[in-house]
Amino acid sequence: LPAVPLPSDPLAALRQARRDPDLVLIEGFHALKHALRFGAEILRAAITDPEEVRKLAEALAPDIVERLPAGTPVVSPERMQAAGLKAPITGVLAVAHRPAMDVHAALADPRPAPVVLLERPRGLGNIGWCVRTAAAADIAGLLTTGIHDPWCPTAVRIGVGLQFALPVARVANAGSSVLPHGLLDCDRPLVAVDTRGETVHPRELPPRAILAFGTERHGLSEELLARAHASVSLPMRPGVSSLNLATSVAALLYAWRLAGGAGGEGGR
Ligand SMILES: C[S@@+](CC[C@H](N)C(=O)[O-])C[C@H]1O[C@@H](n2cnc3c(N)ncnc32)[C@H](O)[C@@H]1O
């Protein structure tokens, strides 16, 4: 249960969810759709136009129509705004429990699927896009280091609620190391994804790798590069410095998947 009791007033509860690490603020229909599909427990919700949301669900996601929170209070966009909340275009906001995350269990996942590590990502948009791709590619988890919480409202909105679909967590550094707890002693090979690495051959990626991506401006830390078992790059035309972080995650995960990773399409 949240450390601070959740107010019964939905707008107060939604405001609390923005800051409470035990809660997740879900903004918009598409994020709510994924949250419901992947088992989120919705605690409070507010909606600007229930008929519109039902129509959207019937058209785009009939599987969740019966799971939409019943008796959700109808609140005008103006009241939401007055309460310091911005109504999304689809007019639905919700609060869910933040699922407990067992990083060791995610790292121990025996499937031949990688874990993505984002080292100190700066952009919440990038984090959200990476979560969306990681969920679609069906990898074992996505971990971040640094100041940003991958479950913050912006990352959840941009990740369209797919944080609920796989283990996603921010992990603390191990002592003076820039690497997180758990990664130093786990049995997964660490692969640096770096512009200076060897051109990647997706079929040759080790099956349960930790694929580490660097921060937007400076790339991977020297410590991570030194500890990595291999360093791979995505080929680029001469003159281009790098791909965007989320683009490189998408390109590599889909190269892996299409090459047959996790029994993906290319392996069939
Ligand atoms: C915007 S880039 C960082 C650019 C930084 N100046 C550098 O050269 O590493 C952010 C991250 O995306 C990944 N990345 C971008 N383009 C890449 C490429 N062509 N090959 C491998 N990784 C790439 C790397 O993990 C990189 O640390």
Side-chain angles (χ1 to χ4, degrees), residues 97-128:
H97 273 307
R98 180 163 168 161
M101 201 52 64
D102 184 341
V103 172
H104 289 279
L107 290 168
D109 184 339
R111 289 186 305 138
V115 165
V116 161
L117 170 66
L118 304 179
E119 218 191 7
R120 290 170 295 151
R122 306 287 300 183
L124 294 173
N126 272 333
I127 297 175

Side-chain angles (χ1 to χ4, degrees), residues 171 196 202 238 257:
V171 281
R196 293 155 296 179
R257 198 180 158 96

Side-chain angles (χ1 to χ4, degrees), residues 193-195 213-217 219 233-234 236 242-243 245 248:
V193 185
D194 183 68
T195 51
F213 295 80
T215 189
E216 287 87 339
R217 183 168 303 172
S233 69
L234 293 154
M236 294 182 292
S242 66
L243 295 163
L245 170 59
S248 64

Side-chain angles (χ1 to χ4, degrees), residues 25-59:
L25 176 61
I26 298 168
E27 299 174 298
F29 172 77
H30 298 288
L32 179 61
K33 168 188 76 181
H34 286 132
L36 289 170
R37 276 191 190 146
F38 291 102
E41 187 191 344
I42 304 298
L43 302 170
R44 301 278 188 281
I47 202 164
T48 56
D49 186 342
E51 221 13 69
E52 266 311 299
V53 170
R54 179 161 277 275
K55 275 195 216 152
L56 211 53
E58 281 166 355

Side-chain angles (χ1 to χ4, degrees), residues 201-205 252-268:
H201 298 288
R203 283 180 199 281
E204 290 166 22
L205 284 171
L252 193 68
L253 289 186
Y254 269 84
W256 163 76
R257 198 180 158 96
L258 289 166
E265 289 67 16
R268 291 190 185 138

